[in-house]
């Protein structure tokens, strides 16, 4: 026997009709609710009266450089009590907003590392209730143009970096709003790394989440300060070397052969053959010396195809490299490098104390220490220190990362310095172009510099004699024919020379104790990250 399904209107089944009626009832209730909300809004607007401030706030039209009235803009960082009663015009982001009442709202405005409080209060002419309500409704991170008056605050505004004044807003214009929600709040992203996480109060923003949303992450005051300090290190490096007779060069990053070791080089297609991304400007620097440049430096990208997923390795970083001729002894190079580092440390401390303090609020660390007379240990003396502390001498043919850190702690405890040098590394640990020690051929005229127990520079006197260079290359398993162009640079006579290479991000990470090099790189590249 066949089941009969009852059908009603337009051939629909009973269940379909029931579902349709339910949806219509739901739509009717939704429409009624919307109408009530609209009616309440109209009643409220009628009670508030006409919006006499309508010409003083709102969304600006798309900026297409329509005009140029040359109005003076103010930087938040320049404001203080001495600016009391001055009228200002500034562009800023809304860091936070708070509706105090239907007559008053507070905004925290941010420019880079600086914040200031702004207040909107209803008056008879300039600010209406509608304007206050609109201002408080703007999303955090909106960009606004603010007209207002600087007013001295009767008490310190602890939530802002500018704590002695606030801005009483007379006009507020939205330059750029947000589409969608922020992936995290900047307040959460700016919390101290040592702050205990309390469930329900705030969320800790993990490093991967930050890097996946790097543009938002970079807006924090901490990151603004970090990259101001990165800029400062490059600036101080460049100034010091310019003042010491160096010429800045720009070497190619595409090369026909690996610089040092084929195992850690990126191979790329180059027309009908292959090319390699430069592991360092080492060979170019040396050829510049052979070309009588005398003293050269470069600031540029360095590529390392090492599958190292550690706190201190990147596959692309910024190298600060230099090379110079030697008159008598390779320690001339070591001493110049030492002077350069101490100038950088001093410059950061004296000229960028504000930025260091901003970073310190989130990444609490002991102040970086160095000595006027830099501590220099030989490799053997460094090994002896570790052996005295219980490390097996048999494990110290090379000082690995763990023992580097251990050595840093020992040096800090014994000599009260975070910065030191190790000299005279064994030949087996250095590249083919490193000059051996004249008295002990198992050692080299080479050095490493350390900050907080981690290497930040590796350098040496280079071999400038082509025959000796070829012998050393063969001993290291490198075919001289594969680097003929490099060797030929020394055949026409090259002066003794030496230099070093520094990782910019590593210096920044260790000076501020950021604990992960990715925090010191604008858009970091490691074996697992190519975006953003």
């Amino acid at each position: 026997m066949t089941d009969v399904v009852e059908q009603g209107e337009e051939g629909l089944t009973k269940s379909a009709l029931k579902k349709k009626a339910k949806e219509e009832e739901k739509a009717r209730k939704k429409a009624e609710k919307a109408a009530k909300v609209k009616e309440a809004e109209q009643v409220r607007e009628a009670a508030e009266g006409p919006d006499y401030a309508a010409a003083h706030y709102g969304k600006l039209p798309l900026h297409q450089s329509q005009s140029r009235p040359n109005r003076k803009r103010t930087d938040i960082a320049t404001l203080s009590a001495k600016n009391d009663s001055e009228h200002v015009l500034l562009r800023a982001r809304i860091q936070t907003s708070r509706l105090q009442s239907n007559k008053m709202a507070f905004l925290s405005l941010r420019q880079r590392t600086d914040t200031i409080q702004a207040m909107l209060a209803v008056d008879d002419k300039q600010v209406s209730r509608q304007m206050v309500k609109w201002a408080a409704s703007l999303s955090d991170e909106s960009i606004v143009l603010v007209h207002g008056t600087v007013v001295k605050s009767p008490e310190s505004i602890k939530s802002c970096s500018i704590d002695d004044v606030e801005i009483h807003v007379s006009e507020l214009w939205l330059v750029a709003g947000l589409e969608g929600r922020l992936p995290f709040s900047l307040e959460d992203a700016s919390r101290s790394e040592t702050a205990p996480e309390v469930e329900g109060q705030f969320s800790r923003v993990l490093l991967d989440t930050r890097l996946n949303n790097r543009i938002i992450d970079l807006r924090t005051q901490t990151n603004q300060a970090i990259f101001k300090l990165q800029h400062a290190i490059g600036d101080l490096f460049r100034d010091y070397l310019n003042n010491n007779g160096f010429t800045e060069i720009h070497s190619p990053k595409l090369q026909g052969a690996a610089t040092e070791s084929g195992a850690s080089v990126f191979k790329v297609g180059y027309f009908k053959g292959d090319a390699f991304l430069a592991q360092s400007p080492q060979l170019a620097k040396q050829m510049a010396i052979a070309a009588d440049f005398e003293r050269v430096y470069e600031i540029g990208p360095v590529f390392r195809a090492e599958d190292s997923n550690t706190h201190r390795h990147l596959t692309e970083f910024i190298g600060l490299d230099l090379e110079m001729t030697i008159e008598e002894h390779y320690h001339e190079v070591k001493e110049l490098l030492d002077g350069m580092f101490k100038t950088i440390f001093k410059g950061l401390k004296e000229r960028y104390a504000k930025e260091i303090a901003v970073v310190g609020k989130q990444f609490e660390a002991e102040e970086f220490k160095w000595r006027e007379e830099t501590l220099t240990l030989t490799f053997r003396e460094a090994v002896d220190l570790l052996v005295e502390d219980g490390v097996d001498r048999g494990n110290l043919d090379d000082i690995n990362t763990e023992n580097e850190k251990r050595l840093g702690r020992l040096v800090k405890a014994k000599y009260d310095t975070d910065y030191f040098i190790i000299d005279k590394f064994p030949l087996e640990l250095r590249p083919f172009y490193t000059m051996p020690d004249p008295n002990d051929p198992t050692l080299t005229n080479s050095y490493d510099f350390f900050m907080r127990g981690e290497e930040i520079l590796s350098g040496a006197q280079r071999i400038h004699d082509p025959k000796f260079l070829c012998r050393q290359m063969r001993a290291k398993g490198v075919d001289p024919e594969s680097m003929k162009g490099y060797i030929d640079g020394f055949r026409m006579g090259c002066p003794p020379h030496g230099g070093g290479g520094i990782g910019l991000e590593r210096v920044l990470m260790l000076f501020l104790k950021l604990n992960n090099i990715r925090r010191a790189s604008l858009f970091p590249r490691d074996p697992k990250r190519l975006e953003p």
Side-chain angles (χ1 to χ4, degrees), residues 225-497:
I226 285 172
F227 289 98
K228 182 80 178 205
L229 290 162
Q230 188 190 80
H231 156 80
I233 292 170
D235 236 17
L236 291 162
F237 173 83
R238 183 176 270 118
D239 285 350
Y240 182 86
L241 297 179
N242 287 345
N243 292 332
N244 279 275
F246 280 73
T247 299
E248 183 172 9
I249 62 170
H250 305 284
S251 64
K253 302 310 165 199
L254 282 172
Q255 298 184 335
T259 313
E260 295 174 21
S261 164
S264 60
V265 68
F266 286 110
K267 183 189 288 189
V268 296
Y270 194 72
F271 301 103
K272 294 182 179 180
D274 292 322
F276 303 90
L277 294 180
Q279 294 161 293
S280 80
Q282 181 57 48
L283 309 186
K285 289 188 303 177
Q286 288 188 259
M287 289 191 280
I289 296 299
D292 289 347
F293 278 59
E294 293 288 321
R295 294 183 165 201
V296 296
Y297 72 89
E298 178 168 0
I299 301 177
V302 173
F303 301 91
R304 299 286 170 90
E306 296 169 357
D307 193 9
S308 298
N309 295 283
T310 74
H311 77 285
R312 67 176 191 170
H313 286 98
L314 294 171
T315 52
E316 179 183 351
F317 62 89
I318 299 301
L320 309 177
D321 282 86
L322 66 85
E323 204 77 15
M324 59 182 274
T325 52
I326 295 169
E327 299 299 338
E328 296 178 344
H329 198 282
Y330 80 98
H331 280 178
E332 295 163 21
V333 189
K334 179 175 75 72
E335 288 158 9
L336 181 133
L337 286 163
D338 181 36
M340 180 198 71
F341 272 114
K342 287 187 284 195
T343 298
I344 289 173
F345 301 152
K346 187 178 179 184
L348 292 176
K349 186 176 180 180
E350 292 179 354
R351 290 157 54 183
Y352 296 90
K354 173 186 168 185
E355 286 77 12
I356 293 170
V358 168
V359 177
K361 288 178 183 177
Q362 186 163 0
F363 296 95
E364 297 170 25
E366 288 183 18
E367 185 179 8
F368 185 81
K369 286 187 175 182
W370 68 95
R371 297 176 11 159
E372 284 305 311
E373 188 68 35
T374 302
L375 173 69
T376 300
L377 304 169
T378 63
F379 184 85
R380 284 172 181 160
E381 287 169 340
V383 166
D384 288 344
L385 266 180
L386 288 166
V387 170
E388 287 171 18
D389 195 52
V391 181
D392 184 354
R393 192 179 291 274
N395 297 329
L396 291 171
D397 292 337
D398 191 5
I399 300 176
N400 61 22
T401 302
E402 182 185 343
N403 284 327
E404 271 186 12
K405 290 184 176 180
R406 188 168 186 165
L407 181 63
R409 291 193 294 270
L410 293 172
V411 166
K412 183 68 183 285
K414 188 171 183 178
Y415 300 101
D416 195 30
T417 182
D418 291 306
Y419 166 67
F420 60 96
I421 301 169
I422 296 180
D423 196 13
K424 294 293 179 189
F425 276 78
L427 181 69
E428 63 187 19
L429 302 181
R430 305 309 262 197
F432 65 81
Y433 49 73
T434 307
M435 182 66 77
D437 180 275
N439 302 313
D440 184 346
T442 66
L443 300 178
T444 57
N445 293 347
S446 64
Y447 39 78
D448 280 0
F449 287 48
F450 293 81
M451 291 173 64
R452 298 193 197 265
E454 296 195 40
E455 176 220 317
I456 44 132
L457 174 145
S458 186
Q461 180 180 356
R462 325 298 188 181
I463 296 173
H464 58 283
D465 180 86
K467 290 179 181 176
F468 188 27
L469 182 60
C470 288
R471 281 206 307 274
Q472 295 301 101
M473 289 174 82
R474 292 188 189 98
K476 291 278 186 179
V478 179
D479 180 8
E481 281 300 311
S482 69
M483 302 186 74
K484 186 174 181 298
Y486 167 63
I487 298 166
D488 285 349
F490 301 106
R491 295 194 190 282
M492 298 297 109
C494 180
H497 60 280

Side-chain angles (χ1 to χ4, degrees), residues 1 31 48 78 101 125 220 239 278 285 317 361 405 428 523:
M1 184 171 121
E48 288 172 347
T78 64
S101 69
K125 295 180 180 179
T220 66
D239 285 350
K285 289 188 303 177
F317 62 89
K361 288 178 183 177
K405 290 184 176 180
E428 63 187 19
F523 298 105

Side-chain angles (χ1 to χ4, degrees), residues 89-330:
L89 170 65
L90 58 90
R91 175 180 48 79
R93 284 194 185 270
I94 296 176
Q95 178 144 303
T96 57
S97 61
R98 174 168 53 94
L99 185 63
Q100 186 76 3
S101 69
N102 61 2
K103 291 186 176 182
M104 184 179 291
F106 290 94
L107 307 176
S108 177
L109 302 176
R110 187 185 76 245
Q111 289 176 345
R112 298 174 294 280
T113 58
D114 296 289
T115 53
I116 193 168
Q117 181 169 281
M119 183 185 76
L120 292 92
V122 172
D123 59 20
D124 296 333
K125 295 180 180 179
Q126 202 73 24
V127 179
S128 64
R129 290 189 181 194
Q130 294 95 323
M131 181 175 175
V132 168
K133 181 182 174 184
W134 179 81
S137 73
L138 293 173
S139 301
D140 291 353
E141 294 303 296
S142 296
I143 301 172
V144 291
L145 190 64
V146 180
H147 298 249
T149 304
V150 179
V151 177
K152 187 176 179 181
S153 176
E155 57 185 40
S156 176
I157 302 168
K158 294 179 180 177
S159 60
C160 293
S161 64
I162 307 300
D163 60 1
D164 55 351
V165 293
E166 63 182 8
I167 296 173
H168 288 191
V169 177
S170 54
E171 290 187 34
L172 185 66
W173 301 98
L174 179 64
V175 177
L178 277 65
E179 294 182 8
R181 293 179 58 188
L182 291 167
F184 48 79
S185 78
L186 265 71
E187 189 177 6
D188 284 344
S190 302
R191 295 184 191 279
S192 168
E193 288 292 296
T194 58
E197 188 171 357
V198 181
E199 190 175 348
Q201 288 192 11
F202 72 88
S203 301
R204 190 174 299 284
V205 184
L206 301 177
L207 183 58
D208 262 358
T209 304
R210 292 174 181 275
L211 297 180
N212 290 338
N213 301 277
R214 190 59 161 160
I215 293 171
I216 305 301
D217 184 45
L218 288 172
R219 292 180 189 171
T220 66
Q221 290 167 278
T222 301
N223 277 322
Q224 291 288 312
I226 285 172
F227 289 98
K228 182 80 178 205
L229 290 162
Q230 188 190 80
H231 156 80
I233 292 170
D235 236 17
L236 291 162
F237 173 83
R238 183 176 270 118
D239 285 350
Y240 182 86
L241 297 179
N242 287 345
N243 292 332
N244 279 275
F246 280 73
T247 299
E248 183 172 9
I249 62 170
H250 305 284
S251 64
K253 302 310 165 199
L254 282 172
Q255 298 184 335
T259 313
E260 295 174 21
S261 164
S264 60
V265 68
F266 286 110
K267 183 189 288 189
V268 296
Y270 194 72
F271 301 103
K272 294 182 179 180
D274 292 322
F276 303 90
L277 294 180
Q279 294 161 293
S280 80
Q282 181 57 48
L283 309 186
K285 289 188 303 177
Q286 288 188 259
M287 289 191 280
I289 296 299
D292 289 347
F293 278 59
E294 293 288 321
R295 294 183 165 201
V296 296
Y297 72 89
E298 178 168 0
I299 301 177
V302 173
F303 301 91
R304 299 286 170 90
E306 296 169 357
D307 193 9
S308 298
N309 295 283
T310 74
H311 77 285
R312 67 176 191 170
H313 286 98
L314 294 171
T315 52
E316 179 183 351
F317 62 89
I318 299 301
L320 309 177
D321 282 86
L322 66 85
E323 204 77 15
M324 59 182 274
T325 52
I326 295 169
E327 299 299 338
E328 296 178 344
H329 198 282
Y330 80 98

